[in-house]
Amino acid sequence: MTDISVDVHLSPNHQAQALRADVLDGLLATPKTLPPKWFYDARGSELFERITALPEYYPTRVERSVLAARAGEIASLTQARSLVELGSGSSEKTRLLLSALIGLSQFVPVDVSETALRESAAAIAADYPGLSVHGVVGDFTEHLDLVPGVRPRLFAFLGGTIGNLVPTERAKFLSSVRSVLFEGEWLVLGTDLVKDPSVLVRAYDDSAGVTAEFNKNVLLVLNRELSADFDVSSFSHVARWDADAEWIEMRLRAERAMRVNLAALSLDISFAAGEEMRTEVSAKFRRGGVSRELAEAGFELVRWFTDPDELFAVSLARAAG
């Protein structure tokens, strides 16, 4: 029988408090911003699953193909006993690593959603009998030092999620991962690559309008959770390539001047006609930049895996001495 345990390091009201803090900081900033993590309520997660199947949105399927081709090599090089997945979600692609890691004794999914984590842990346990599943309900920017694992450990941060962090945040995150790893332990990292801007923009502004609906869903989250009165129909979806920063920005543009009340925060916010609020950055990478950022955090890039069209890369890095 598979052993399942779950550690909870977040208070019951953690998400509510974090949302209030993020919204206050973001809406009072100039320009206005919202963190992308608030896209993912139940409806947002469903919409994102639809996005991953769209013809324009290549990252999910290409990363999966790279992992499918290279999971055996990753397993052979790391000889990992524990696989730790940060921001685990459904752990769908991670199953490619779980199946390849012959000597694996423990899987440690880390996620802020206790419900999603328990569901995922149960599914993994059912499909991998004999594997110990030790879930951690926590924020991977705060609770890495509380993550268990049998050495040597392989940490996985997939999906190109690191691109949602700006450079200073990426440096802090990679350094925090390195700080909890012993020398010789491992990190596997998924990064979307710089390419033709038209390909990138289409991936974030699909013809079916699913990404637009996904983007606007964050306003519905604020309406529900903070008793706000955003008129969602008065905002339009914008996806723009920033060639200097080498990232896609998703924004919501106010199509008319309006005043929005967020009753739970006792806050009124004005939007000018045409004003844009940034809801996501999605950085795109080059091999040299990934290698440099890993090295600055104390990692050595050991393998660089990509698809034939060099759309997406999976890096395998070792904690250096």
Coordinates of all heavy atoms in Angstrom, one line a residue, residues 154-199:
L154 N 16.0 15.3 -6.6 CA 15.9 16.1 -7.9 C 14.7 17.0 -7.8 O 13.5 16.5 -7.6 CB 15.6 15.1 -9.1 CG 15.2 15.7 -10.4 CD1 16.3 16.6 -11.0 CD2 14.9 14.6 -11.4
F155 N 14.9 18.3 -7.8 CA 13.9 19.3 -7.8 C 13.4 19.6 -9.2 O 14.3 19.7 -10.1 CB 14.4 20.6 -7.1 CG 14.3 20.6 -5.6 CD1 14.8 19.6 -4.8 CD2 13.7 21.7 -5.0 CE1 14.8 19.6 -3.5 CE2 13.6 21.7 -3.6 CZ 14.1 20.7 -2.8
A156 N 12.1 19.7 -9.4 CA 11.6 20.0 -10.8 C 10.8 21.2 -10.7 O 9.9 21.4 -9.9 CB 10.8 18.8 -11.3
F157 N 11.1 22.1 -11.7 CA 10.3 23.4 -11.8 C 10.0 23.5 -13.3 O 10.8 24.0 -14.1 CB 11.0 24.6 -11.3 CG 10.2 25.8 -11.1 CD1 8.9 25.7 -10.5 CD2 10.7 27.0 -11.4 CE1 8.2 26.9 -10.3 CE2 9.9 28.2 -11.3 CZ 8.7 28.1 -10.7
L158 N 8.8 23.0 -13.7 CA 8.5 22.8 -15.1 C 7.5 23.8 -15.6 O 7.1 24.7 -14.9 CB 8.0 21.4 -15.3 CG 8.9 20.3 -14.9 CD1 8.3 18.9 -15.0 CD2 10.2 20.3 -15.7
G159 N 7.1 23.7 -16.9 CA 6.1 24.5 -17.5 C 6.5 25.9 -17.9 O 5.7 26.7 -18.3
G160 N 7.8 26.2 -17.8 CA 8.2 27.6 -18.1 C 7.7 28.6 -17.0 O 7.8 29.8 -17.3
T161 N 7.3 28.1 -15.9 CA 6.8 29.0 -14.8 C 7.8 30.0 -14.3 O 7.4 31.1 -13.9 CB 6.2 28.2 -13.7 OG1 5.3 27.2 -14.2 CG2 5.5 29.0 -12.6
I162 N 9.1 29.7 -14.4 CA 10.1 30.6 -14.0 C 10.0 31.9 -14.8 O 10.5 32.9 -14.3 CB 11.5 29.9 -14.0 CG1 12.5 30.8 -13.2 CG2 11.9 29.7 -15.5 CD1 13.8 30.1 -13.0
G163 N 9.5 31.8 -16.0 CA 9.3 33.0 -16.8 C 8.4 34.0 -16.3 O 8.4 35.2 -16.7
N164 N 7.5 33.6 -15.3 CA 6.6 34.6 -14.7 C 7.3 35.4 -13.6 O 6.7 36.4 -13.1 CB 5.4 33.8 -14.0 CG 4.5 33.1 -15.0 OD1 4.0 32.0 -14.7 ND2 4.3 33.7 -16.2
L165 N 8.5 35.2 -13.4 CA 9.3 35.9 -12.4 C 10.2 36.9 -13.2 O 10.8 36.6 -14.2 CB 10.2 35.0 -11.5 CG 9.5 33.9 -10.8 CD1 10.5 33.0 -10.0 CD2 8.4 34.4 -9.9
V166 N 10.3 38.1 -12.7 CA 11.2 39.1 -13.3 C 12.6 38.7 -12.8 O 12.8 37.9 -11.9 CB 10.8 40.5 -12.9 CG1 9.4 40.9 -13.3 CG2 11.0 40.8 -11.4
P167 N 13.7 39.3 -13.4 CA 15.0 38.8 -13.1 C 15.4 38.8 -11.7 O 16.1 37.8 -11.2 CB 15.9 39.8 -13.9 CG 15.1 40.1 -15.1 CD 13.6 40.2 -14.6
T168 N 15.1 39.8 -10.9 CA 15.4 39.8 -9.5 C 14.7 38.7 -8.7 O 15.3 38.1 -7.8 CB 15.1 41.2 -8.8 OG1 13.7 41.5 -9.1 CG2 16.0 42.3 -9.4
E169 N 13.5 38.5 -9.1 CA 12.7 37.4 -8.5 C 13.3 36.0 -8.9 O 13.4 35.1 -8.0 CB 11.3 37.4 -8.9 CG 10.5 38.7 -8.3 CD 9.2 38.8 -9.0 OE1 8.9 38.4 -10.1 OE2 8.3 39.5 -8.3
R170 N 13.7 35.9 -10.1 CA 14.3 34.6 -10.6 C 15.6 34.4 -9.8 O 15.9 33.2 -9.4 CB 14.6 34.6 -12.1 CG 13.4 34.7 -12.9 CD 13.7 34.2 -14.3 NE 14.7 35.0 -15.0 CZ 14.5 36.0 -15.8 NH1 13.3 36.4 -16.0 NH2 15.5 36.6 -16.5
A171 N 16.4 35.4 -9.6 CA 17.7 35.2 -8.9 C 17.5 34.8 -7.5 O 18.1 33.9 -6.9 CB 18.5 36.5 -8.9
K172 N 16.5 35.4 -6.8 CA 16.1 35.0 -5.5 C 15.6 33.6 -5.4 O 16.0 32.8 -4.5 CB 15.1 36.0 -4.9 CG 14.7 35.8 -3.5 CD 13.7 36.8 -3.0 CE 13.2 36.5 -1.6 NZ 12.2 37.5 -1.1
F173 N 14.8 33.2 -6.3 CA 14.2 31.9 -6.3 C 15.3 30.8 -6.5 O 15.3 29.9 -5.8 CB 13.1 31.8 -7.4 CG 12.7 30.4 -7.7 CD1 11.9 29.7 -6.8 CD2 13.1 29.7 -8.8 CE1 11.5 28.4 -7.1 CE2 12.8 28.4 -9.1 CZ 12.0 27.7 -8.2
L174 N 16.1 31.0 -7.6 CA 17.1 30.0 -7.8 C 18.1 29.9 -6.7 O 18.5 28.8 -6.3 CB 17.9 30.3 -9.1 CG 17.0 30.2 -10.4 CD1 17.8 30.7 -11.6 CD2 16.7 28.7 -10.7
S175 N 18.4 31.0 -6.1 CA 19.3 31.0 -4.9 C 18.7 30.2 -3.7 O 19.4 29.5 -3.0 CB 19.8 32.4 -4.5 OG 20.5 33.0 -5.5
S176 N 17.4 30.4 -3.5 CA 16.7 29.8 -2.4 C 16.6 28.3 -2.7 O 16.8 27.5 -1.7 CB 15.3 30.4 -2.2 OG 14.5 30.1 -3.3
V177 N 16.5 27.8 -3.9 CA 16.5 26.4 -4.2 C 17.9 25.8 -3.9 O 18.0 24.8 -3.3 CB 16.1 26.1 -5.7 CG1 16.3 24.7 -6.0 CG2 14.6 26.5 -5.9
R178 N 18.9 26.6 -4.4 CA 20.3 26.1 -4.2 C 20.6 26.0 -2.7 O 21.3 25.1 -2.2 CB 21.3 27.0 -4.9 CG 22.7 26.7 -4.6 CD 23.1 25.3 -5.1 NE 24.4 24.9 -4.7 CZ 24.7 24.2 -3.6 NH1 23.7 23.9 -2.7 NH2 25.9 23.9 -3.3
S179 N 20.0 26.9 -1.9 CA 20.4 26.9 -0.4 C 19.9 25.7 0.3 O 20.4 25.4 1.4 CB 19.8 28.2 0.2 OG 18.4 28.1 0.3
V180 N 18.8 25.0 -0.2 CA 18.3 23.8 0.5 C 18.8 22.5 -0.1 O 18.5 21.5 0.4 CB 16.8 23.8 0.5 CG1 16.2 25.1 1.2 CG2 16.2 23.7 -0.9
L181 N 19.6 22.6 -1.2 CA 20.1 21.4 -1.8 C 21.6 21.2 -1.3 O 22.3 22.1 -1.1 CB 20.2 21.6 -3.4 CG 18.9 21.6 -4.1 CD1 19.1 21.8 -5.6 CD2 18.1 20.3 -3.9
F182 N 21.9 19.9 -1.2 CA 23.3 19.5 -0.9 C 24.1 19.5 -2.2 O 23.5 19.3 -3.3 CB 23.3 18.2 -0.2 CG 22.7 18.2 1.2 CD1 21.4 17.9 1.4 CD2 23.5 18.4 2.3 CE1 20.9 17.9 2.7 CE2 23.0 18.4 3.6 CZ 21.7 18.2 3.8
E183 N 25.4 19.7 -2.1 CA 26.2 19.6 -3.3 C 26.0 18.3 -4.0 O 25.9 17.2 -3.4 CB 27.7 19.7 -2.8 CG 28.6 19.7 -4.0 CD 30.1 19.8 -3.5 OE1 30.3 20.1 -2.4 OE2 31.0 19.6 -4.4
G184 N 25.8 18.4 -5.3 CA 25.6 17.2 -6.1 C 24.1 16.9 -6.3 O 23.8 16.0 -7.2
E185 N 23.2 17.5 -5.6 CA 21.8 17.3 -5.9 C 21.4 18.1 -7.1 O 22.1 18.9 -7.6 CB 20.9 17.6 -4.7 CG 21.2 16.7 -3.5 CD 20.2 16.8 -2.4 OE1 20.1 17.9 -1.8 OE2 19.6 15.8 -2.0
W186 N 20.1 18.0 -7.6 CA 19.8 18.4 -8.9 C 18.5 19.2 -9.0 O 17.6 19.2 -8.2 CB 19.5 17.1 -9.8 CG 20.7 16.2 -9.8 CD1 21.0 15.2 -8.9 CD2 21.7 16.2 -10.8 NE1 22.2 14.5 -9.3 CE2 22.6 15.1 -10.5 CE3 21.9 16.9 -12.0 CZ2 23.7 14.8 -11.3 CZ3 23.0 16.7 -12.8 CH2 23.9 15.6 -12.4
L187 N 18.5 20.0 -10.1 CA 17.3 20.8 -10.5 C 17.1 20.6 -12.0 O 18.0 20.7 -12.8 CB 17.6 22.3 -10.2 CG 16.6 23.3 -10.8 CD1 15.2 23.1 -10.1 CD2 17.1 24.7 -10.7
V188 N 15.8 20.2 -12.3 CA 15.4 20.2 -13.7 C 14.4 21.4 -13.9 O 13.5 21.5 -13.2 CB 14.8 18.8 -14.1 CG1 13.5 18.5 -13.3 CG2 14.5 18.8 -15.6
L189 N 14.7 22.2 -15.0 CA 14.1 23.5 -15.1 C 13.5 23.6 -16.6 O 14.3 23.4 -17.5 CB 15.1 24.6 -14.9 CG 14.6 26.0 -15.0 CD1 13.6 26.4 -13.9 CD2 15.8 27.0 -14.9
G190 N 12.3 23.9 -16.7 CA 11.7 24.2 -18.0 C 11.7 25.6 -18.3 O 11.2 26.5 -17.5
T191 N 12.2 26.0 -19.5 CA 12.2 27.4 -20.0 C 11.8 27.5 -21.4 O 12.3 26.8 -22.3 CB 13.6 28.0 -19.8 OG1 14.6 27.1 -20.5 CG2 14.0 28.2 -18.4
D192 N 10.9 28.4 -21.7 CA 10.5 28.7 -23.0 C 11.6 29.6 -23.7 O 12.2 30.4 -23.0 CB 9.1 29.5 -23.0 CG 8.4 29.5 -24.4 OD1 8.9 28.8 -25.3 OD2 7.4 30.2 -24.5
L193 N 11.8 29.4 -25.0 CA 12.9 30.1 -25.6 C 12.5 31.3 -26.5 O 11.4 31.3 -27.0 CB 13.7 29.1 -26.5 CG 14.2 27.8 -25.7 CD1 15.0 26.9 -26.6 CD2 15.2 28.3 -24.6
V194 N 13.4 32.2 -26.7 CA 13.2 33.3 -27.6 C 13.0 32.8 -29.0 O 13.8 31.9 -29.4 CB 14.4 34.3 -27.5 CG1 14.2 35.4 -28.5 CG2 14.5 34.9 -26.1
K195 N 12.0 33.4 -29.7 CA 11.8 32.9 -31.0 C 11.0 34.0 -31.8 O 10.9 35.2 -31.2 CB 10.9 31.6 -31.0 CG 9.6 31.8 -30.3 CD 8.9 30.5 -30.1 CE 9.6 29.5 -29.3 NZ 9.7 29.9 -27.8
D196 N 10.6 33.8 -33.0 CA 9.8 34.8 -33.8 C 8.7 35.4 -32.9 O 7.8 34.6 -32.4 CB 9.3 34.1 -35.0 CG 8.6 35.0 -36.0 OD1 8.1 36.1 -35.5 OD2 8.5 34.7 -37.2
P197 N 8.7 36.7 -32.7 CA 7.7 37.3 -31.9 C 6.2 37.0 -32.3 O 5.3 36.9 -31.5 CB 7.9 38.8 -32.1 CG 9.4 38.9 -32.3 CD 9.7 37.7 -33.2
S198 N 6.0 36.8 -33.7 CA 4.7 36.5 -34.1 C 4.2 35.1 -33.5 O 3.0 34.9 -33.2 CB 4.6 36.5 -35.6 OG 5.3 35.4 -36.2
V199 N 5.1 34.2 -33.4 CA 4.8 32.9 -32.8 C 4.4 33.0 -31.4 O 3.5 32.5 -30.8 CB 5.9 31.9 -33.0 CG1 5.7 30.6 -32.3 CG2 6.2 31.6 -34.5

